[in-house]
Amino acid sequence: MKLRHAMVCSSNQNRSMEAHWLLKREGFDVASYGTGQHVKLPGPSLREPNVYDFGTPYKQMFDDLRRKDPELYRRNGILPMLKRNLSVKTAPQRWQENAADGTFDVVLTFEEKVFDMVLEDLHNRKHVLLKPVLVINLEVKDNHEEAAIGGRLALQLCQEIEAAGNWEECVDDLIMNFERQNHRKLVYSISYY
Amino acid sequence: MARDQALSLLAAANNHGDLAVKLSSLKQAKDILFSVEPSQAAELFSYLAELQSSPEPLVRKYLLEVIDDAGAKGSEHLVILFPVLLTFLKDNNPIVATQSIITGTKIFSSVLEELALQFQRRGIVQRWLEELWTGLIKFRDAVLGIIFEAGPIGPKLLSIKFLETFILCFTLDSTEFDMCNPEVIARQGSMFNVSWIADSHPILNPHALMSDANRHLEILLEILLSASKLPGCMTITAVNSLVAIARKRPVYYKTVLKALLDFSPSIEMAKGRHTVSIQYSLRTAFLGFLRCTHPIMTESREKLLKELRAMNAGDAADQVIRQMDKIMRNNERASRELQFSKDDQLSSQLHISGELTKKRTAQLDNENQNNIFEASSKKSRHGPHNSKTTTASDAKQDHVNGISAKPPVLDGDLTPVEQMIAMIGALIAEGERGVESLEILISNIHADLLADIVITNMKHLPKNPPPLTRYGNLSLNHPSDTSDPAQVVGSNGFATSTQSLDHLAQLPASSLSTTSGAVSDTFATANLSTDSKRDPRRDPRRLDPRRLVAPTDMSQTYVVEENVGTVQHPTVEPDFNPVSSSSVLLSAPQSVPEFAPQPLPTIETDINLPDSPMTIEVDEPIQKYEVHDFDANVITPDKDANNYLHLSPSSGKEEDVVSPASMDLAMLDEAYSPSSEASDELPPDIPNVEASESASAELPVLPLYIELDEDHQIRARRLALERIINKYQNSQRTDIKQTQIALVARLFAQIDVSDVIEMAQKLIISDYEEQKGHELVLHILYHLHSLVISDSASSAAAVYENFLLGVAKSLLVDLPASNKSFSRLLGEVPNIPDSVLGMLDDMCTKSHSGADGRDGDRVTQGLGAVWSLILSRPFIRQACLDIALKCTVHPKDDIQAKAIRLVSNKLYAVSYISNSIEQFAKNMFLSAVDQHSSDALLSESAISDRRIGGQVEGAETSTSGSQVSEPEISPDETMKGVLDDSSNIFSQAHRHMSLFFALCAKKPVLLQLVFDSYTRSSKAVKQAVHRHITVLMRALGSSYSDLLHIISNPPQGSEDLLTQVLHLLSEGRAPPTDLVVTVKHLYETRLKDATILIPILSAFSRDEVLPIFPRLVQLPLPKFQMALAHILQGSAHTGPALTPVEVLVAIHDISPERDSLPLKKITDTCSACFEQRTVFTQQVLAKALNQMVDRTPLPLLFMRTVIQAIDAFPSLVDFVMDILSKLVNRQVWRMPKQWVGFLKCISQTQPHSFKVLLQLPSPQLESALSKYPNLRGPLAAYTNQSSIKTSVPRTTLVLLGLASETQMQQPHAVSSLHASDGPTST
């Protein structure tokens, strides 16, 4: 049984894309989203982030930042990240606008706030299909190193869920085992499409 | 045709062996089924239904999909297929079971809808729908069974979801509150709910179904109760479903919320479940509720927030609330705009308020404005025709809010504080709905800003002193007469909002009649719209005594307004004064003629100020008032009467009513917090007071301003402070604390009573860390400091100093030394006065009275503080540095050690002070060398330090001066008394040098000074230097290289030191190459003292050692022995430079003449070697002798060594005999110096030596025997033995008297032969 996975962070750039990239490489059926209002990338200072709308192609951001300050954005890893992203998909997508993308079986979020937003969004959708969706939060700091670790953990988690067959039957054990093995705290919830 | 095809396909789906074929057949069959005529389809569907027994789960699942499609199409064939669902509920494959519930739920919804609509539209219900409904009820019961039966979890989750759907369908969808979000509304169509069902529906009984829904909700709640037995995901699903129900159907909200709240603590017990997620589901639930705008949910916000905070989700909750407030505000603004335009016309008719509005300046308090609006609008609308006091509150509230929400003068250039006030005002105007937001706003305002808001708002305080009675009624501990009913009413009217209404209602209503109604109305409005609506405990402003007035004075804002005007234009409007202003204003055309001017003077005149001379009125008037129904003239003295006269002709009664109230309040304020009057934060006060006084001459004088005497003021201030601080201690909430901190800081600034300071200190210290004492202290200090800066003449400086000193001392006394609070305090206070520095100095240098183990910690603490101050406070850097430096020469070892560690390890690394430190250390070192009085020196160094440090404040000069004299005098005086005691000199020198050597460890170049001054040092000082340098060199380790420069060029007289340094450097390890090179070079060029070579000898090779060997021998014996040890030790790489054998040979090779060494030195050296028997063993000696015996010429001391060898090791005798034989062969008699030794050896080793002796030619034998006559006898006896005699030459025998003379020739020949041989061999 092949599950559909969604990786969600706030800007659909770093954490979710790292996981998306890894899972895609491993042959998973996976998509990725952000829950923020905009796509935000670090700028020259904390107060001046680069803000884009969801749907702006990664390529466009890449060109934009390379034009602005290639040295800075190469050094802080933004350009390499964008390059990676544009090899995965065209543009960042917003979770709240993904109704057309169909249903997912497993949604992995990488931040509590994102988790809350996904759940609230799912709550507000009309539950027509009554298809259960497992939403799991795996807290990952928003930097390149942590994202790489988080991506691997996400992959492992998805593999375990996929291997379990019916996650409904064993989700508690699965989550607790994963926590024990990786010393990570997870939170899950169940919603419906 | 189609039928046959479908049948064959279905058969294939049922029987074919290949799953793929089955599925594709089924798929094709389905397509046909939905396209054939209904009559044919019925039969086919029943065939299809047979597939339910297919062994393939995928086939069964696909069958479900077909049913799903059929359901979506609303096909009546569902009746045929529906039983399949019931069967599949029990399917052993959970996926099939799950899918059947899903399909069933969908069909349930659509059938229900169809049922309701069909009846609505056509008045009938089709039969198949009826049948289906019966099936669905069965289905529902089966699904309910699944939840609690043992089985796979997947279907259970869907069962719960089915329950949710069921409940939602059969409850009234009364509101759309959950859909506050337009996005959501757009997305969701309207869903079926029970209201769609007509009451007369033949099948569906809405009431029965609703009660079913209630029962089902209980099942869901039951799941929560038995959560500990169920899997975690079921609990989470149940929680989520309950939340969905509660949000969509607010009727159930309370039930659900209660269940969830009760549920939370029991989660902990669950094992084998992911409790974190369950907990989180509650968090999500509560956050979800917060997002809802339904009144029932907003009501419980408080509870939800509390719960969320307990879950550490306070931030998330606040964020949600902010979002919601924003949305709400936007919604309200739209609706308000309409309302406002309407009410604006109304209010413009009111001249009073209109005028006020015009006069209002930007700096005015918007809060007041709003309330003016409220009051005035209310007057206009309700005043004239309100006959019942009780109508005051709710009904009007909305309207009032509508009016006042948009303060007309809100825009303009307001300061941040004024903007905040404006915002608070706006929120207050929102009434009930604004309270939440107001609370959030206030809790988010920074304490400083809040305090400023309060202070700013106080400008609008009324000048009229109100009676103290209200204060008493407010349950504060002022004694007051509460028995008076009128008084109670008046006070409560202010204090407790709606309560006042009740009270009023209970009053002798007839007497009060409409007027009193208006009064209470006004009061109530003012109060309702402000504080009282909030939970009073939560309002930080309540804790500010001054603030207490701010909300209540709104009811008489115009008084305030005029006061401000008076202050600003005293000359222009001289007749405007606080007291009269109300009347002046009120005499504006707006009047309400149908009401007789009936002021309520009693309220105002009922001043009952304990402890004050202001007890003007007594209870009596009130009695009269009650009895005589507003007989003002009777009640009041002429002042009041004047007032009324002035007021009454034209003013509306409300205004009259209001003005006493305002005075009431003002009085309260004064009494409660007199400090505010005295404070310079209220500059307008003074002119106002004057104005009012002058006015009182012509106008009725009301109880104006209570000039408390000094004692009262002080007492009241202290009281206020005490209360706040006590509250502070008990309160747990940080937001309140923030406010309290700011308030206490300001109060402090106005109080210079020392005992208050102490009291505060105690409280602050008692729980310094947890209770934010630190913040409080800093607030106070900064405030005091700002006063000092703004007014240098003020006494705040002294208060500041006292307070800081006090707090610092208490911190030291009360907290353990390891606590960082002290140092943090000093690091963060705005300014450090001298006295604190003095204390710090004492702390570091003086041991406190209790000489226990804590002292050391205190010193550490003090030094730690000094350290951080040096780093963080440039202004007192030098003073602190001086303290630290002084400690480095402290007579107490531990203090000194700590200080030195600090200075050398930490401070010296800091670039901007390293020079001062270095200079100080140098000075101290030199003083030790020159044995200056350290007293003189210290001050000298302090001065020089100051020169280096640049500008230092005068204050610090005095500090450092005192520091110099204080601690050092006593040790030095004792020192002088015993100055000639060298050990004392030593210890003093040692002490003064410590820092310098510690610095040398960091910067070895500094050692140059040590070398330079070494020569002139006294013995004791040298001793101290040696001791230090030992430690230093060991500490230096490999970083010696800086020393090479010094070593290569040592000053005259520092050889001892140099030697010691070299020793230490090569101690325990191979001397480093660069050191060896340097020392060698030094030896070769400048310093011909081999002593310096000793430490590095082990690194020398044989060829290097041999040339200098005589020089080593030349050294005093102990040094030679040391050198010898080094030579023999050698390096790990090359082995010893010389073996013991080689050493011996080398010693023997020394020629006294050539090497200009006295022979004695060499013999001593030799003897020294022999003493080391473990090194110079028998074998070593034998080997060395063996080597040397062949030398030509023989080493001078050879025979001496032989004799010593045989003395030391008698067992060497045979070996020595061989040597001697060799010597005989080498004609030892020709070497006079050796010959003596040879004979001595022969003599000493007899009788072993006889054999050798007999080898001597006769003349030599004869000379030997003549020299040692006692040999003759034993030799003759030995020779006479038959075995020997034969081999002995005849001449020898003759010589010994064993043979006759005749045989003498032959041995002669032999002897001559020997003689001729000798020279050739030599």
Side-chain angles (χ1 to χ4, degrees), chain A residues 32-50:
Chain A
S32 63
Y33 301 95
T35 54
Q37 289 294 325
H38 303 280
V39 176
K40 276 187 192 156
L41 288 174
S45 79
L46 263 182
R47 288 164 177 275
E48 316 161 69
N50 292 294

Side-chain angles (χ1 to χ4, degrees), chain A residues 1-192:
Chain A
M1 188 172 72
K2 200 148 161 116
L3 298 174
R4 285 202 76 206
H5 300 83
M7 304 291 130
V8 192
C9 66
S10 66
S11 281
N12 194 202
Q13 285 283 6
N14 185 26
R15 295 166 289 184
S16 57
M17 283 307 278
E18 175 78 28
H20 186 164
W21 177 70
L22 261 176
L23 266 79
K24 190 182 176 193
R25 209 182 56 182
E26 297 292 322
F28 279 83
D29 184 350
V30 61
S32 63
Y33 301 95
T35 54
Q37 289 294 325
H38 303 280
V39 176
K40 276 187 192 156
L41 288 174
S45 79
L46 263 182
R47 288 164 177 275
E48 316 161 69
N50 292 294
V51 181
Y52 302 95
D53 284 328
F54 277 96
T56 312
Y58 293 118
K59 180 80 173 77
Q60 194 176 317
M61 300 181 195
F62 182 85
D63 294 339
D64 183 37
L65 296 185
R66 195 171 52 178
R67 185 175 45 78
K68 280 181 181 163
D69 190 345
E71 169 56 23
L72 169 71
Y73 294 110
R74 185 155 292 119
R75 203 176 52 231
N76 67 10
I78 298 299
L79 287 180
M81 183 187 76
L82 285 169
K83 197 154 198 170
R84 188 264 324 269
N85 291 353
L86 62 88
S87 76
V88 176
K89 63 178 187 181
T90 315
Q93 295 162 276
R94 187 154 187 257
W95 169 267
Q96 287 87 336
E97 289 146 16
N98 76 350
D101 298 2
T103 62
F104 293 96
D105 298 286
V106 178
V107 177
L108 225 63
T109 63
F110 296 102
E111 193 179 324
E112 209 166 75
K113 208 171 76 188
V114 175
F115 182 68
D116 289 344
M117 287 174 92
V118 166
L119 285 180
E120 178 65 17
D121 178 68
L122 285 172
H123 168 86
N124 287 334
R125 297 187 190 193
K126 203 171 179 189
H127 300 168
V128 188
L129 298 173
L130 297 176
K131 185 172 179 247
V133 50
L134 176 62
V135 189
I136 304 179
N137 183 50
L138 167 69
E139 199 71 21
V140 175
K141 285 208 189 77
D142 197 0
N143 60 47
H144 301 304
E145 296 75 21
E146 290 290 322
I149 298 168
R152 282 196 294 278
L153 288 170
L155 173 64
Q156 187 195 336
L157 187 57
C158 291
Q159 279 167 340
E160 284 173 21
I161 293 169
E162 184 108 41
N166 289 337
W167 58 259
E168 292 102 324
E169 308 301 321
C170 57
V171 59
D172 283 276
D173 293 333
L174 198 146
I175 296 280
M176 285 191 286
N177 280 336
F178 187 86
E179 284 183 335
R180 240 194 322 273
Q181 282 167 18
N182 298 290
H183 306 288
R184 288 279 188 152
K185 282 279 169 218
L186 300 182
V187 177
Y188 79 90
S189 191
I190 296 168
S191 193
Y192 294 87

